Amino acid sequence: MSTLPLFASQPSPLHAAYACDPAQTLGRRFPEVDAPTRTAFQRDRDRIVHSTAFRRLVYKTQVFLNHEGDLFRTRMTHSLEVAQLARSIARSLGLNEDLVEAIALAHDLGHTPFGHAGQDALHECTAAYGGFEHNLQSLRVVDHLEQRYPMFDGLNLCFETREGILKHCSRRNAEQLNASEPPTKANVALRFLEHTQPSLEAQLCNLADEIAYNAHDIDDGVRSGLLAMDQLEAVPLFDSFRRETLQEHPHLLPVAQHRRLLYETIRRMLSAQVYDVIATTRASLKTSSPQSADEARQMPAQVQFSPAMAANSLALKTFLLHQLYRHPQVMQMTGHAKQVVTDLFNAYMADPAQMPRGFALRAQVRPGNGHETAEVAVVVADFIAGMTDRFAAKEHERLTGLRLLA
Ligand code: MG
């Protein structure tokens, strides 16, 4: 007889009324017995950490391709940083920390290899069949593609976690998804058709994602040599904290100390954004006063930056777009990455038997319904999207004889 405490169904007293409560979850697609020692959201987080797609994030590009250096962020370290920021803000706002952690760790599971270059290429390849969208793919991973449980496909996560993972969704995709979702509130497509908000936890993860990449892309950009410290002086948010840091620590002025100056500036910038979100959201929640997670979903977005910080964040994003993401050196690599993905797509479409057995079997679609090519394209996109950078490069070399990414 187990003596473990049964707290899976008890709400935590630390959570506010507007937080998602694991005891009140809208449930899983396939009913399961509660775990004896973990809440439903803790269990989701654990399922994500143990998934194959999560482990692959370590070999997937964030901005710099995986083979370009060992010290740059990968999708894995990015996801961990998002989880850290989201947890810390959630605690301060009385939101459910386990849920934000689960959403943050899963939010990029559907990303292709080679970052946005890979996603753009796969989207172009599949345009005739509805296109490729990484948010929807993240949901496909946790709903269908992970195969590790005896009685269902996917990880069978709670509605609240799935809701947070599906950050964006086109109307067309939402209508399609709606057909396979339950006709209840536990339908992740519904809010894109009714234009309501997701839970506060989901809203928070969205913002934590932005805070994380704005900060770590500066760090990686400088580390790579593609961004110079003096270029960053054009970014008001960065520059104000750089000046503040130098005022307090003038010994960081010489170039030899610039690494410390960079870290301290980024640290202050991160803190300022976190405190801004907490203060702005608190004020907003105080006025709107939602009495439940569901009431908060019916309100305009509550988790946000102040207008001044939103403008600062936008300026930083714009700077990174022009100076880093579109840097000629980054563009050259993304050009190669796009070719790898496009060549792979064409090769598997021409001969699906080149894929591993499970995918090749799925690609043997029943003839006669007129959608055969589209159905094969979905299987090929699933296979390519799941690849790590180096596996994609190796497969490309095997199939084409070309070595584009060393
Ligand atoms: Mg992200």
Side-chain angles (χ1 to χ4, degrees):
M1 192 61 191
S2 167
T3 53
L4 291 167
L6 290 165
F7 54 79
S9 58
Q10 282 171 27
S12 160
L14 294 171
H15 295 143
Y18 47 68
C20 282
D21 177 352
Q24 305 289 325
T25 171
L26 292 183
R28 303 177 187 280
R29 300 197 318 154
F30 304 94
E32 289 185 69
V33 178
D34 283 346
T37 60
R38 294 171 299 163
T39 70
F41 300 153
Q42 282 178 290
R43 204 176 186 193
D44 279 6
R45 188 263 327 274
D46 298 347
R47 286 180 179 194
I48 291 158
V49 168
H50 288 277
S51 70
T52 308
F54 182 72
R55 280 196 300 283
R56 286 188 183 148
L57 293 180
V58 77
Y59 296 114
K60 286 193 177 198
T61 288
Q62 181 67 23
V63 172
F64 294 92
L65 298 190
N66 209 261
H67 66 270
E68 290 183 291
D70 291 345
L71 297 174
F72 299 123
R73 264 67 174 190
T74 65
R75 290 263 166 222
M76 169 77 81
T77 53
H78 162 69
S79 301
L80 294 174
E81 288 179 43
V82 176
Q84 179 276 314
L85 288 165
R87 275 199 82 114
S88 135
I89 299 171
R91 182 171 300 189
S92 182
L93 292 173
L95 294 174
N96 191 288
E97 284 180 59
D98 298 321
L99 178 58
V100 297
E101 189 177 15
I103 296 171
L105 295 179
H107 87 283
D108 274 350
L109 288 181
H111 262 287
T112 61
F114 313 126
H116 281 281
Q119 132 109 12
D120 291 349
L122 201 52
H123 184 63
E124 280 163 33
C125 290
T126 55
Y129 320 111
F132 177 86
E133 214 283 303
H134 68 84
N135 273 297
L136 197 59
Q137 192 67 16
S138 296
L139 190 68
R140 273 181 72 71
V141 168
V142 301
D143 279 357
H144 302 290
L145 299 178
E146 285 285 326
Q147 298 191 339
R148 35 200 324 124
Y149 291 90
M151 299 307 285
F152 48 75
D153 283 346
L155 304 177
N156 199 29
L157 303 179
C158 295
F159 163 79
E160 293 78 3
T161 309
R162 299 176 62 238
E163 172 195 37
I165 292 173
L166 193 60
K167 197 159 59 170
H168 307 292
C169 190
S170 68
R171 175 138 196 125
R172 184 180 174 278
N173 285 336
E175 278 166 1
Q176 217 167 41
L177 185 61
N178 188 36
S180 57
E181 287 290 290
T184 62
K185 278 203 295 186
N187 171 342
V188 290
L190 215 52
R191 78 181 166 93
F192 299 99
L193 303 171
E194 294 182 344
H195 304 289
T196 53
Q197 296 296 324
S199 70
L200 298 169
E201 282 83 355
Q203 294 177 33
L204 168 55
C205 288
N206 211 350
L207 210 50
D209 188 20
E210 183 178 327
I211 298 174
Y213 66 66
N214 272 341
H216 65 51
D217 288 351
I218 292 182
D219 182 6
D220 283 354
V222 173
R223 181 185 293 282
S224 68
L226 300 185
L227 289 182
M229 280 291 273
D230 51 6
Q231 258 180 302
L232 284 158
E233 289 170 24
V235 181
L237 187 65
F238 184 89
D239 198 48
S240 63
F241 291 111
R242 187 191 65 92
R243 284 165 191 272
E244 189 187 273
T245 303
L246 280 174
Q247 221 156 33
E248 281 177 45
H249 306 285
H251 68 284
L252 297 184
L253 190 59
V255 176
Q257 295 296 330
H258 276 188
R259 178 72 47 194
R260 281 179 203 266
L261 175 60
L262 176 70
Y263 288 148
E264 182 58 21
T265 305
I266 291 177
R267 182 176 299 119
R268 287 174 190 227
M269 216 177 73
L270 269 177
S271 299
Q273 291 177 87
V274 165
Y275 300 152
D276 183 274
V277 173
I278 293 171
T280 311
T281 306
R282 250 193 211 143
S284 180
L285 288 169
K286 203 172 165 196
T287 312
S288 57
S289 186
Q291 292 309 302
S292 68
D294 217 36
E295 234 180 272
R297 288 186 177 98
Q298 308 305 318
M299 296 176 171
Q302 301 287 303
V303 184
Q304 49 197 334
F305 284 134
S306 65
M309 189 58 89
N312 268 324
S313 171
L314 182 64
L316 176 50
K317 260 192 200 172
T318 311
F319 170 87
L320 286 170
L321 176 68
H322 293 292
Q323 306 302 325
L324 183 62
Y325 308 147
R326 290 191 187 155
H327 191 286
Q329 224 169 298
V330 173
M331 293 302 284
Q332 193 199 347
M333 292 315 287
T334 56
H336 288 160
K338 278 185 178 182
Q339 195 189 332
V340 167
V341 168
T342 308
D343 289 348
L344 285 177
F345 183 82
N346 293 334
Y348 297 133
M349 285 302 283
D351 184 7
Q354 291 295 331
M355 294 187 290
R357 200 178 142 77
F359 286 95
L361 282 175
R362 268 183 61 203
Q364 288 176 5
V365 296
R366 232 179 304 155
N369 67 4
H371 301 293
E372 297 90 346
T373 320
E375 285 171 22
V376 176
V378 170
V379 180
V380 171
D382 281 343
F383 180 47
I384 294 176
M387 291 180 179
T388 61
D389 288 15
R390 60 181 180 180
F391 180 76
K394 252 194 229 163
E395 268 293 276
H396 183 262
E397 197 178 339
R398 178 179 77 82
L399 292 164
T400 66
L402 297 171
R403 194 163 186 191
L404 289 181
L405 300 162

